[in-house]
Amino acid sequence: MCGIVAYLGHREACPIILKGLHRLEYRGYDSAGVALLNGDLNVYKKKGKVSDLEAYISEKDTHATVGMGHTRWATHGEPNDENAHPHYSTSERIAIIHNGIIENYAALKTHLQQQGHTFHSDTDTEVFVNLIEEIQKQNSCSLEEAVRLALHEVVGAYAIVVLSKDAPNQLIAARKGSPMVIGIGDGEFFIASDATPIIEYTNEVVYVNDYEIVVIRDGQLEIRSKEDVSQIPYIQKLELELDSIEKGGYPHFMLKEIFEQPRSILDSMRGRLELGAGHLNMGGIRAYEQKFINAQRIIIVACGTSWHAGLVAEYLIEDLARIPVEVEYASEFRYRNPIITERDIVIAISQSGETADTLAAIELAKSKGATIFGICNVVGSSIARATDAGAYTHAGPEIGVASTKAFTAQVTVLTLLAMIMGQKRGTITDTKLRELMVELDTIPAKVTKALELDAQIQEIAEEFKDATNFLYLGRGYNFPVALEGALKLKEISYIHAEGYPAAEMKHGPIALIDENMPMVVIATRDSSYEKVVSNIQEVKARKGRIIAIVSEGDKVIPAMAEYVIEVPHTSEVLMPLVSVIPLQLLSYHIAVLRGCNVDQPRNLAKSVTVE
């Protein structure tokens, strides 16, 4: 959640911070603010988007070479000017920005009020900055020491940056459970929630670890542990390109990312599927090959769209590798005292690599001795560093809040993983493996062909843009796709939508069907085809409006369905990579026609770094 940006150097800080906040706005867009230090410590903040903040400060004095900014996803306190970050301390000599949640803020606030501190917001963050000020006053210590001592008293997650009027050429930052990256330029430094605000200025970055404190002053970067032990910064080179985080002529990032899927799927296979040599490779599992071969169970933990990718993986791994798989919501798994053994493998899936619930699930599984395999998209992310092994999806930056190319990239990597496991365990024949490899190689082209249906899908969206409910049905491998299609629609268009296994319709949802109920049925040719045809007949008999996703050349379902979308045929195992495409486009066009902000849907943020 929440995006943070800070700068210290020789340039004007405010334009850099504002541009960075625009790039981080996918992390939260309830309010935004900046703090600028130039003799005085000035805080300007405003409810609304970063553009509202820009308009507000257009006549203000923003001259400074040190500053920080924040774009908020509200946790404590409604979105308004007072709750926007940055927050002053009581004396207004210290300011802070914060991504995370301080769980013991109420007790700290009561104590600080007794010490004479006043509060102007409902946020936990204002408690944090007053705690720093109180510690500094009581101990007559430096700001750095006051921050370090404050971190011992707060419980929860945080990525913070602190400015003080009494330390005019200094930035202090720290993190626990929320992402933070430091950019190192020529006599200048950048701090941000991710690398997107940094890449046009430098490609040298340091990913800050949990419990580390960053001090930037006098042109130097110092990192210390919470116990005040000096750490050696590990400088990495960014491989991110500036044009990958621009819209590239598309009206929305979401549409751009939908159309990037042929490339992102190909990039996720690159070096892993070597069709000419007949080889499958995944370097991340090499050191743990025997663990995978001998695993008694695989547990997949994820949230949201990544959880749907995990459901596809359950079908894949049990089908191809014959290992029992359980797919768990990370937010539930971490709290329900699950049975985990050293022979279990836990696969953690997260686009951002920062999902708080998934990180907590990883820590729980590690404490039980399980082997942890991570699948994420962001290099250097917390999950990438917390797992025993893993694989990057190579989808490229995904800015749209509703995941699209992340889903297909995750399914691609999970498909490769299932094929490799099946090969190593001898549960898939060489002939079958070769067939799947050949077919997987064709998927980018088939996704390209599915994207050519965009104009047809836009016409269907026109017909259903005013619907208030949708049902999505699928069976087998396409059931998780039905769930994902329903999630996309509700996320960005605010239409209530539910996904079901098609056979479950008779166990309740059929009561909802009438002439006003759109039903999206994924009915591609597979082992469940005849059953799905029967389900469509049941819907038609009750006057439900049917939008059917079918395999090219289908002659049966077009006679039943009101609208038919034909996608290229592929193996049942690989069909989710193709059948999800029209569902993404349908949700996009309906949302646009309803006037919704598809890149920044209400109440959502891209990276869920708080519980």
Side-chain angles (χ1 to χ4, degrees):
M1 315 301 226
C2 300
I4 63 174
V5 186
Y7 175 79
L8 187 155
H10 50 81
R11 311 185 204 215
E12 284 292 316
C14 193
I16 294 171
I17 292 166
L18 290 172
K19 183 183 288 187
L21 291 180
H22 275 296
R23 290 182 180 165
L24 290 176
E25 205 165 17
Y26 68 88
R27 300 181 64 88
Y29 29 87
D30 295 328
S31 57
V34 296
L36 302 168
L37 184 55
N38 183 23
D40 290 326
L41 178 57
N42 294 313
V43 169
Y44 307 117
K45 53 188 184 176
K46 199 71 178 168
K47 175 185 175 181
K49 299 186 185 299
V50 176
S51 56
D52 297 307
L53 172 67
E54 285 181 302
Y56 174 65
I57 66 172
S58 60
E59 302 299 323
K60 306 285 187 184
D61 178 12
T62 59
H63 174 67
T65 56
V66 182
M68 61 188 184
H70 186 274
T71 180
R72 182 174 185 244
W73 187 88
T75 54
H76 293 74
E78 66 180 71
N80 58 32
D81 292 353
E82 291 76 19
N83 290 329
H85 296 215
H87 287 285
Y88 276 127
S89 63
T90 300
S91 70
E92 297 192 355
R93 303 191 72 81
I94 303 173
I96 192 172
I97 53 176
H98 170 217
N99 172 23
I101 289 179
I102 303 307
E103 296 173 9
N104 62 335
Y105 83 100
L108 291 171
K109 184 173 184 178
T110 299
H111 170 73
L112 290 165
Q113 286 172 326
Q114 293 169 351
Q115 301 302 312
H117 290 271
T118 56
F119 293 85
H120 305 283
S121 76
D122 301 314
T123 68
D124 54 338
T125 303
E126 194 179 9
V127 174
F128 208 150
V129 70
N130 279 311
L131 176 64
I132 293 169
E133 180 168 89
E134 181 64 21
I135 288 173
Q136 188 174 27
K137 182 176 75 173
Q138 292 293 336
N139 294 275
S140 300
C141 60
S142 67
L143 181 66
E144 175 189 349
E145 178 67 4
V147 170
R148 189 179 71 81
L149 292 173
L151 296 181
H152 284 278
E153 294 195 32
V154 298
V155 176
Y158 54 80
I160 60 168
V161 183
V162 180
L163 279 176
S164 173
K165 187 176 180 179
D166 300 318
N169 197 36
Q170 178 175 279
L171 284 173
I172 296 177
R175 71 152 283 185
K176 173 185 173 280
S178 294
M180 178 179 288
V181 59
I182 311 297
I184 303 172
D186 184 8
E188 57 186 352
F189 296 89
F190 308 81
I191 303 174
S193 295
D194 65 36
T196 54
I198 294 173
I199 57 173
E200 68 182 272
Y201 307 106
T202 180
N203 66 349
E204 292 192 339
V205 297
V206 174
Y207 292 99
V208 183
N209 295 313
D210 274 355
Y211 303 108
E212 288 185 337
I213 301 169
V214 177
V215 180
I216 299 170
R217 62 183 165 215
D218 301 325
Q220 299 295 319
L221 168 68
E222 183 180 13
I223 298 179
R224 304 186 74 83
S225 71
K226 200 165 70 167
E227 289 69 38
D228 206 27
V229 177
S230 181
Q231 309 293 299
I232 299 174
Y234 174 52
I235 299 174
Q236 301 186 46
K237 295 284 187 182
L238 278 178
E239 296 181 0
L240 197 61
E241 298 295 333
L242 185 59
D243 61 0
S244 68
I245 60 170
E246 304 292 346
K247 288 182 183 174
Y250 286 90
H252 298 97
F253 281 110
M254 183 180 179
L255 188 62
K256 177 190 179 218
E257 288 154 10
I258 289 172
F259 274 84
E260 284 177 338
Q261 287 175 108
R263 187 182 70 189
S264 58
I265 291 171
L266 182 63
D267 286 345
S268 294
M269 294 191 294
R270 197 182 308 278
R272 293 166 175 163
L273 174 65
E274 298 180 3
L275 190 59
H279 290 158
L280 291 169
N281 303 296
M282 191 169 289
I285 69 170
R286 203 163 291 141
Y288 294 88
E289 188 173 297
Q290 282 304 122
K291 287 269 192 181
F292 276 90
I293 291 172
N294 298 323
Q296 66 178 9
R297 180 180 58 158
I298 289 176
I299 303 168
I300 297 175
V301 293
C303 300
T305 286
S306 296
W307 188 81
H308 296 155
L311 283 181
V312 177
E314 179 180 16
Y315 286 85
L316 286 163
I317 295 169
E318 290 192 346
D319 192 358
L320 303 180
R322 308 307 297 158
I323 301 174
V325 178
E326 296 176 15
V327 184
E328 300 266 6
Y329 285 112
S331 55
E332 289 296 309
F333 179 80
R334 61 181 294 194
Y335 287 117
R336 68 169 186 79
N337 194 23
I339 299 170
I340 309 169
T341 74
E342 293 179 357
R343 289 190 61 194
D344 291 331
I345 292 176
V346 173
I347 299 177
I349 311 172
S350 166
Q351 187 281 138
S352 66
E354 302 291 348
T355 309
D357 287 318
T358 306
L359 277 164
I362 288 170
E363 294 306 315
L364 173 61
K366 285 172 75 172
S367 72
K368 305 288 187 181
T371 299
I372 316 296
F373 188 85
I375 295 176
C376 58
N377 189 38
V378 179
V379 175
S381 59
S382 296
I383 286 176
R385 288 178 285 164
T387 50
D388 296 310
Y392 288 117
T393 54
H394 302 302
E398 188 177 64
I399 307 299
V401 167
S403 280
T404 51
K405 66 176 180 175
F407 175 78
T408 50
Q410 288 167 353
V411 171
T412 300
V413 171
L414 289 161
T415 301
L416 290 163
L417 179 62
M419 291 166 66
I420 291 169
M421 290 170 64
Q423 181 185 39
K424 299 295 184 185
R425 286 171 57 84
T427 53
I428 182 171
T429 65
D430 290 343
T431 300
K432 176 67 173 176
L433 183 66
R434 179 66 183 178
E435 289 174 357
L436 283 177
M437 290 173 66
V438 170
E439 190 60 26
L440 184 57
D441 189 59
T442 70
I443 290 297
K446 290 182 175 180
V447 169
T448 298
K449 194 168 183 183
L451 290 167
E452 294 171 2
L453 301 167
D454 185 51
Q456 177 197 352
I457 293 168
Q458 188 168 359
E459 292 177 5
I460 297 172
E462 288 273 6
E463 179 67 22
F464 292 101
K465 64 182 173 60
D466 296 319
T468 55
N469 294 282
F470 263 78
L471 287 178
Y472 287 70
L473 302 180
R475 294 184 83 133
Y477 282 94
N478 280 322
F479 163 52
V481 177
L483 293 175
E484 176 62 12
L487 177 62
K488 288 285 95 63
L489 187 69
K490 71 181 88 171
E491 278 183 313
I492 63 171
S493 73
Y494 319 137
I495 295 173
H496 175 254
E498 299 294 339
Y500 285 94
E504 284 296 302
M505 183 182 61
K506 294 188 288 293
H507 296 275
I510 198 167
L512 297 170
I513 296 173
D514 59 20
E515 63 275 10
N516 298 313
M517 175 62 79
M519 303 277 291
V520 179
V521 185
I522 307 166
T524 53
R525 282 211 168 267
D526 56 28
S527 58
S528 302
Y529 177 77
E530 299 299 334
K531 300 292 186 184
V532 176
V533 169
S534 297
N535 297 139
I536 291 174
Q537 291 281 24
E538 292 162 355
V539 174
K540 185 176 181 179
R542 289 157 179 84
K543 297 184 170 57
R545 305 192 67 184
I546 302 164
I547 305 166
I549 313 298
V550 304
S551 300
E552 279 182 330
D554 190 302
K555 303 299 183 185
V556 176
I557 293 176
M560 307 177 198
E562 185 176 357
Y563 295 94
V564 174
I565 301 169
E566 294 190 10
V567 297
H569 182 67
T570 187
S571 163
E572 179 175 0
V573 169
L574 304 177
M575 183 52 79
L577 292 166
V578 178
S579 61
V580 77
I581 303 300
L583 306 188
Q584 294 172 345
L585 289 169
L586 182 65
S587 65
Y588 170 80
H589 286 300
I590 287 176
V592 170
L593 289 166
R594 289 167 65 90
C596 301
N597 187 336
V598 296
D599 284 340
Q600 297 174 354
R602 69 187 182 206
N603 302 332
L604 298 179
K606 183 68 177 175
S607 178
V608 184
T609 57
V610 298
E611 287 191 58

